[in-house]
Amino acid sequence: MPNTRTANKRLSRSPARHPFAAPSQLAGRNEYLDEVLNSAETPASAILVVGVLGSGRSRLLETVRAHASVRSVWAAPHPMEQYRPLAGLSLALNVTGDHRLSEYIGALKLSEPTPDETLAVAADLLALLQSGSREETLLLIDDADQFDQHTQLALTYLAGRLTNTGLRMVLAVRPESTFTAFAGIRSVWISRLDRAQCMELAHGIAPNADAQTLSMVCDACGGLPGMITSTLAHLTTDQLEGHAPLALPLYHGPEGLALNAWEPETVRLLQRLSTAPLCSLSAMRQVRDIDRDRFEQLTSQGVLEINGSFVAIRDGALRSSLYWSMTSSQREELHSLAAIEEEGHSRGLVLWHADHGKHSPAARDSLLDEAIDLYQQGLAAAATEFVERALLLNPTPEDMLKKLLAVCDKLSYLSEFGLARRYLDVCRRAARKPQQLAECLRLEVTIASLADETIDVGAIDVYAHRYRKDSPRTSAELLAFASVYLAVAGDLVSARAHIDRAYRILPAEKVAHGSVQGWALRYIDGIDGHGADSTTQDDAEPEIDELPEVVQLVSGRALMIEEHYAAARHTFRSLALEDPSHSRGRAWTIRVLALSAENEIRAGNIPEASRIIHALAEFAPVLTLRTLVLFAWNEAVVRDGPAAESLLAEARTRARQSHQPVPMAQLLAFEGSLALMRGDLDEARLRLARAYEAALEFRPDFMRMEADFVEVLARRGEWDAARRVAARFAERAQEHPSAWSSFAVARAEAIVAPDDQFVARFSHAIAIAKKGDAVYEAGRTRLSFAIALDRFGHGQRANEQRQSAEYAFETLSANGWVNAVRNAIRTIEAPVQNSLLSTLTENELAVLRLMHQGVRNKDIAAALFVSLRTVEVRITQIYRKLEARSRSHLLTLVPELEQTNSF
């Protein structure tokens, strides 16, 4: 008979659960935990937790047990209980502590009950459970599908009839069981962890482990938390810290996937495929002929995947389970067989399989060569196994350092930065000679540059100083690479100091033509103007194609800054667009496409720049400051779309976080230009004034903002300031001439020209822009000319210039500027057809409208971008033409004119 405490508890409502903070072992399982706990809070409920072995079912049940608000008991099968009828049922009910159930189960003498007899037993047990009162109990059964089939049937029967029993049930089973014995019970399916969740879990288990090692473990474990935990437990400290290679496929411990659901013939086929990261399709012909249907079925089900001429097991967890399910002799036998089958099909796989049988160090260099080829084909996981195997064969890798550095070099271009750093760390530990250490550091600089990360300039300085005598060329090249990095980051003082140090170590007469040192100097000179003046003649320099790719990237930057746009275009295209045999990684492609787009923008080739930015968008899910600005430019200038502001807001955040003055100044200049395009002169002045202070440190054609600043100042009526900026701009452009400066200076000087000279100045500016085939600059100049003509009352000529500017922008697909021409708020409108007003010019009508609005003469001058004296002259003309005696008399005429809809 139940005691008072038990009876009262059963009638009371379950207390509310406290919010659960999931431990790292439950990464990605919160939603499942909430659902199962909510079910456990409901009386008479039953739910299945469905997941493969290693998916975290047991861990989930343990957490439910720890947080359930009712008494919880746990049951799990013993391996031998699946052979004894109803043994599992006896175990599950005994743990509830109800002696009546235990006595009933103990009295059963059924040796092999029929289904009807099993259901009869379950019905009797249900009657016992429903008799009397008992404490609410949550029964947690792990691996319920491993009980004997009679127990599974009985549990299924009970699960749907728990009302008034005081029991609640949570059963953990594998997926195949939900379609047989446990069909019909409500279930929650545990999916595999995604990559981020796997890394969170792995880092929680091994917080001090090497990140790339954890990444490789996560890839090998197929998103199964139990397998991740078990696999990490079997790695040595050196392996976890990245100081020792991994034996792949990784040994998973006891958490491998169950293989008994597969047919024996299927298991044998998959075990053959598990012996290597991939297998040649042509070498599998005999297998496919014998098991063609099975092979095709496994492929269609996604168990196998075909990559070009290779086939592989898709799921790393399945491959690991298959491989380690065999004995060592079985594995060696299959490796020997596979080596024979792969002969004539894949040299790398022959080496792979033969090596597993002989453990020959002679195979190490060949394995690395094959790894580079596999990386090139995009088969990174397989290539990494080859590299790890080569390192296992050679615990002291200094003998194969050159090959391993080549692997790192390839990985850096393929954007496999984690792997590149992993093997670069091996190289640095193995390097003994200055040249080797310097090469390691050069690769580190390359990786940091491609990944938009900070490089260790201090380390470069140390190595350059240490090896300047023994290896002057290498030391100078390191300093040159650092100078480019610093220049891109905006630290021109440090960049100049580093390139000067490089030339002190290796003087100009000893610098090879086309070296990174020479190109770095040209790039820095092109920014700050300390070197030779740039020219507009494109010298494509075909030998650039023969340079190392990182040097080509520097050369492309230099050529772009020097206005050799065609040569820069050739370089960037050869690096990213025209050579399909050199597949490169995402980061490399993003970097080259971004530079290519910037080159086309500077060249005024807006349609091509927009096309490249559209291609860039497909490669850049993670936006950098450079790509944000390019996307904003395309959205505003080409598409005239609304998304530009949100992109610029994000770019401003990135620029502030970078603490780099040059990118910030470039962003301000760009925002000022866009504000000018939109007609927001106050915003344009604010942005351009801030950018102007930084622009004076560079060549005027680097920032390209001074002409816009002159235009904004002039349109705001700040004529003295506009003339000062224009004069200084002309002086700086004369010191550092360039094609763009010649166009922009001519426009700026025309804007501030005296009244009797502005027409000739604008005509000259348009002429030199047309001669230089600078369509965009010509369009900007014509638009400024139209504004000046409006100011002096030449409405018809102004409209002609606007039409020409609009046509130029349309030709370039610069829709932002097209709409700026079309949608500008014009104070000058078509003359009205009224007997009195028809005598007024467009400029006089503009003044009259503002007078009617109560605007003072000084503000009218600012609004129309004219002087106060000009406004006073126009008001006098209006008085004369309309025969008005005073300002008040003039304004009394306005309501009458409005009624005629003429004003």
Side-chain angles (χ1 to χ4, degrees):
M1 181 175 180
N3 57 35
T4 304
R5 180 184 63 82
T6 305
N8 289 342
K9 184 172 182 178
R10 184 180 179 188
L11 297 174
S12 65
R13 296 187 62 184
S14 300
R17 292 187 282 112
H18 292 292
F20 170 71
S24 62
Q25 287 82 354
L26 282 177
R29 296 293 186 250
N30 288 347
E31 58 179 299
Y32 307 125
L33 177 62
D34 288 340
E35 186 172 353
V36 176
L37 274 174
N38 287 334
S39 177
E41 298 294 345
T42 306
S45 68
I47 188 170
L48 291 178
V49 176
V50 185
V52 299
L53 189 64
S55 60
R57 298 171 309 170
S58 300
R59 178 71 65 180
L60 186 61
L61 261 62
E62 291 172 2
T63 310
V64 170
R65 184 181 187 182
H67 291 80
S69 61
V70 298
R71 172 176 174 263
S72 303
V73 295
W74 180 282
H78 186 278
M80 297 304 296
E81 286 172 341
Q82 60 182 310
Y83 302 109
R84 180 184 173 189
L86 297 175
L89 184 63
S90 173
L91 171 65
L93 295 179
N94 277 330
V95 298
T96 64
D98 190 325
H99 67 277
R100 294 177 304 157
L101 297 176
S102 301
E103 291 173 358
Y104 176 78
I105 290 292
L108 288 175
K109 301 298 183 183
L110 299 174
S111 60
E112 189 63 38
T114 65
D116 289 340
E117 290 173 330
T118 300
L119 292 175
V121 170
D124 291 342
L125 289 171
L126 181 62
L128 285 173
L129 287 168
Q130 291 175 337
S131 64
S133 301
R134 61 181 45 79
E135 183 179 9
E136 287 282 323
T137 301
L138 175 62
L139 178 57
L140 302 164
I141 305 179
D142 196 13
D143 290 328
D145 50 351
Q146 300 304 300
F147 284 125
D148 62 278
Q149 58 181 347
H150 306 289
T151 294
Q152 295 182 41
L153 178 59
L155 289 174
T156 303
Y157 178 87
L158 293 174
R161 299 168 176 81
L162 294 178
T163 303
N164 298 323
T165 64
L167 277 184
R168 311 165 188 193
M169 295 173 58
V170 180
L171 303 93
V173 299
R174 300 177 187 183
E176 54 268 20
S177 301
T178 60
F179 304 109
T180 54
F182 295 100
I185 302 178
R186 186 168 70 89
S187 59
V188 51
W189 287 67
I190 303 180
S191 63
R192 301 193 182 207
L193 301 179
D194 61 28
R195 181 59 183 274
Q197 292 167 339
C198 286
M199 289 298 291
E200 177 188 352
L201 172 61
H203 184 71
I205 297 170
N208 298 321
D210 169 61
Q212 187 57 39
T213 298
L214 296 183
S215 176
M216 294 166 69
V217 169
C218 290
D219 288 342
C221 293
L224 299 178
M227 187 175 285
I228 291 173
T229 303
S230 180
T231 300
L232 289 172
H234 285 81
L235 296 181
T236 66
T237 301
D238 282 346
Q239 286 177 320
L240 285 172
E241 294 176 353
H243 298 154
L246 301 178
L248 300 170
L250 291 169
Y251 177 65
H252 49 69
E255 294 291 345
L257 296 178
L259 304 177
N260 53 14
W262 299 89
E263 296 177 354
E265 294 80 3
T266 300
V267 172
R268 284 194 291 271
L269 171 61
L270 292 175
Q271 284 176 333
R272 158 66 180 90
L273 293 170
S274 74
T275 57
L278 40 75
C279 300
S280 300
L281 275 171
S282 54
M284 297 288 294
R285 184 179 298 110
Q286 182 179 2
V287 176
R288 289 189 290 111
D289 288 344
I290 297 173
D291 294 318
R292 180 176 297 279
D293 292 341
R294 183 174 290 107
F295 191 89
E296 292 179 354
Q297 183 180 20
L298 291 171
T299 303
S300 63
Q301 291 174 346
V303 178
L304 303 180
E305 63 177 346
I306 296 176
N307 290 313
S309 60
F310 298 104
V311 61
I313 297 174
R314 181 188 296 272
D315 184 1
L318 175 59
R319 180 184 167 218
S320 180
S321 299
L322 287 160
Y323 188 76
W324 294 107
S325 69
M326 297 183 286
T327 65
S328 59
S329 59
Q330 288 174 324
R331 291 194 295 270
E332 288 184 9
E333 181 181 351
L334 282 179
H335 277 302
S336 298
L337 174 63
I340 296 172
E341 291 177 340
E342 292 287 354
E343 192 68 46
H345 302 283
S346 171
R347 176 175 174 272
L349 287 171
V350 171
L351 290 168
W352 170 269
H353 290 292
D355 165 69
H356 276 76
K358 300 177 181 177
H359 301 282
S360 170
R364 64 191 180 213
D365 287 351
S366 297
L367 285 172
L368 291 178
D369 287 334
E370 294 299 325
I372 293 174
D373 185 58
L374 289 172
Y375 280 127
Q376 188 68 55
Q377 297 179 53
L379 303 171
T384 299
E385 289 203 30
F386 275 59
V387 178
E388 294 291 315
R389 185 65 189 170
L391 292 175
L392 279 171
L393 295 175
N394 192 21
T396 54
E398 59 268 18
D399 294 338
M400 58 178 187
L401 187 58
K402 184 176 181 180
K403 295 279 187 183
L404 196 55
L405 283 171
V407 170
C408 296
D409 202 35
K410 177 57 65 178
L411 287 169
S412 69
Y413 292 124
L414 297 176
S415 305
E416 295 285 352
F417 301 129
L419 287 171
R421 291 190 184 95
R422 176 183 179 84
Y423 300 130
L424 198 53
D425 187 53
V426 176
C427 292
R428 291 193 67 173
R429 293 198 304 271
R432 296 292 181 267
K433 300 177 181 179
Q435 180 68 35
Q436 295 171 338
L437 287 168
E439 179 63 16
C440 292
L441 197 58
R442 184 193 70 77
L443 282 172
E444 288 180 7
V445 172
T446 299
I447 293 169
S449 176
L450 290 174
D452 283 321
E453 297 174 347
T454 302
I455 68 171
D456 189 350
V457 178
I460 290 176
D461 292 343
V462 169
Y463 278 107
H465 179 76
R466 182 179 300 173
Y467 302 125
R468 67 187 188 279
K469 294 181 179 179
D470 296 333
S471 184
R473 187 174 304 279
T474 301
S475 296
E477 287 182 356
L478 280 175
L479 290 167
F481 277 116
S483 71
V484 173
Y485 168 83
L486 291 165
V488 172
D491 190 352
L492 284 181
V493 174
S494 296
R496 176 63 64 182
H498 277 71
I499 197 64
D500 288 346
R501 281 182 59 199
Y503 273 91
R504 285 197 295 271
I505 293 173
L506 195 68
E509 60 271 15
K510 296 182 179 180
V511 175
H513 179 69
S515 71
V516 66
Q517 186 172 335
W519 283 112
L521 179 62
R522 287 177 63 172
Y523 177 58
I524 297 171
D525 285 346
I527 295 175
D528 66 13
H530 283 72
D533 295 328
S534 61
T535 65
T536 58
Q537 181 181 359
D538 280 327
D539 48 348
E541 301 190 57
E543 65 271 17
I544 290 178
D545 292 346
E546 306 302 322
L547 299 176
E549 291 168 312
V550 288
V551 179
Q552 290 188 51
L553 199 63
V554 177
S555 73
R557 290 180 183 273
L559 291 167
M560 174 176 64
I561 293 298
E562 293 174 345
E563 295 188 316
H564 298 313
Y565 301 123
R569 182 181 301 122
H570 170 84
T571 300
F572 293 138
R573 284 182 175 175
S574 68
L575 287 173
L577 304 178
E578 294 182 344
D579 191 354
S581 65
H582 286 73
S583 60
R584 296 180 178 86
R586 183 179 297 272
W588 176 268
T589 304
I590 289 171
R591 175 60 51 85
V592 176
L593 286 178
L595 287 170
S596 183
E598 183 180 339
N599 181 65
E600 299 303 337
I601 292 172
R602 294 178 73 88
N605 192 354
I606 293 177
E608 179 63 12
S610 180
R611 186 193 68 78
I612 294 171
I613 292 171
H614 180 73
L616 177 62
E618 300 178 3
F619 288 92
V622 179
L623 300 177
T624 63
L625 176 58
R626 181 186 298 273
T627 55
L628 279 167
V629 172
L630 287 172
F631 293 155
W633 175 88
N634 193 55
E635 181 71 15
V637 175
V638 178
R639 299 183 58 188
D640 193 31
E645 184 52 43
S646 62
L647 291 167
L648 287 173
E650 178 65 19
R652 284 192 290 271
T653 301
R654 298 288 181 91
R656 285 192 294 268
Q657 292 172 346
S658 70
H659 303 293
Q660 295 177 355
V662 172
M664 190 67 194
Q666 290 175 313
L667 178 60
L668 287 169
F670 172 58
E671 290 181 302
S673 175
L674 292 186
L676 173 60
M677 184 183 74
R678 295 191 300 266
D680 188 347
L681 299 181
D682 291 339
E683 179 71 12
R685 191 195 189 287
L686 174 66
R687 301 288 180 184
L688 292 173
R690 292 176 59 190
Y692 182 66
E693 297 175 4
L696 296 177
E697 298 181 17
F698 312 107
R699 294 173 59 101
D701 55 317
F702 177 64
M703 297 277 287
R704 297 191 170 191
M705 50 78 57
E706 288 167 284
D708 284 351
F709 193 29
V710 170
E711 180 176 346
V712 169
L713 292 172
R715 289 178 63 178
R716 285 173 52 86
E718 300 178 52
W719 289 102
D720 289 342
R723 293 187 182 97
R724 286 196 299 272
V725 173
R728 192 169 187 181
F729 180 25
E731 291 175 1
R732 285 169 18 85
Q734 188 173 9
E735 292 176 4
H736 306 291
S738 70
W740 177 84
S741 293
S742 66
F743 310 141
V745 167
R747 173 160 65 97
E749 291 181 335
I751 290 173
V752 298
D755 294 353
D756 59 344
Q757 298 179 23
F758 83 95
V759 174
R761 290 291 185 88
F762 271 114
S763 298
H764 171 69
I766 293 171
I768 63 174
K770 290 174 63 177
K771 183 178 180 180
D773 198 25
V775 179
Y776 174 77
E777 292 299 331
R780 292 293 307 278
T781 304
R782 289 185 183 278
L783 186 56
S784 297
F785 192 14
I787 294 173
L789 289 168
D790 278 333
R791 191 170 71 247
F792 288 95
H794 303 298
Q796 182 60 38
R797 292 186 65 186
N799 288 335
E800 292 173 357
Q801 291 300 324
R802 283 196 185 89
Q803 291 173 2
S804 297
E806 181 180 346
Y807 176 75
F809 295 140
E810 284 179 339
T811 302
L812 296 173
S813 299
N815 294 311
W817 283 103
V818 170
N819 290 328
V821 175
R822 294 175 180 173
N823 302 329
I825 301 175
R826 296 176 183 173
T827 56
I828 307 300
E829 298 181 0
V832 294
Q833 299 301 315
N834 179 275
S835 58
L836 289 176
L837 297 182
S838 61
T839 62
L840 301 181
T841 67
E842 294 175 351
N843 289 330
E844 291 164 350
L845 282 170
V847 171
L848 180 57
R849 289 188 181 91
L850 295 174
M851 290 175 65
H852 174 250
Q853 297 172 16
V855 179
R856 296 177 303 174
N857 288 5
K858 181 179 180 181
D859 294 329
I860 292 174
L864 298 178
F865 314 114
V866 297
S867 67
L868 179 60
R869 173 61 180 163
T870 301
V871 171
E872 292 171 347
V873 170
R874 290 178 183 175
I875 290 175
T876 301
Q877 294 295 328
I878 292 171
Y879 286 167
R880 181 180 62 78
K881 292 182 179 179
L882 298 186
E883 299 180 355
R885 295 181 299 274
S886 64
R887 190 183 189 98
S888 58
H889 179 213
L890 174 67
L891 296 179
T892 59
L893 301 175
V894 175
E896 177 183 347
L897 296 174
E898 284 187 325
Q899 292 175 2
T900 66
N901 297 322
S902 300
F903 186 64

